[in-house]
Amino acid sequence: MCPAASMPWGLRSRTMKKDAPCIGVCQWDGRTGWCLGCGRTVPEIRAWRKMTPFRRTALARELPRRVGPVGGTRGPGRSDDW
């Protein structure tokens, strides 16, 4: 479990970085390894603070595509084959 998930909401919102995509859900999809809340993998979450701004931006642009399929919605180009 992510440390943010166990924090009270008020404390969580004060301690998370504004530029981090974490929303405090911190549950992982067993098939993809992506967080159901933010779409990142555990290694990406751990590396986030050390990533260059370019890499963070590139990853942040990828996350909406990841969260949609994991959350059960269909995005462009998705098939029903899981």
Side-chain angles (χ1 to χ4, degrees):
M1 178 187 273
C2 173
S6 63
M7 290 182 195
W9 178 252
L11 179 62
R12 184 182 323 157
S13 63
R14 289 191 303 262
T15 59
M16 285 193 270
K17 300 286 184 187
K18 283 187 175 188
D19 65 339
C22 179
I23 62 169
V25 172
C26 306
Q27 295 178 7
W28 281 265
D29 178 72
R31 186 176 61 85
T32 63
W34 297 337
C35 174
L36 298 177
C38 69
R40 296 179 293 170
T41 63
V42 172
E44 290 168 340
I45 291 168
R46 289 183 179 147
W48 182 261
R49 292 190 304 169
K50 294 181 181 179
M51 286 182 184
T52 64
F54 178 82
R55 179 68 182 118
R56 283 187 200 168
T57 301
L59 179 57
R61 289 182 179 162
E62 173 75 9
L63 297 179
R65 184 187 68 80
R66 293 182 184 183
V67 175
V70 171
T73 61
R74 292 187 62 204
R78 293 249 328 131
S79 70
D80 290 333
D81 299 337
W82 285 69

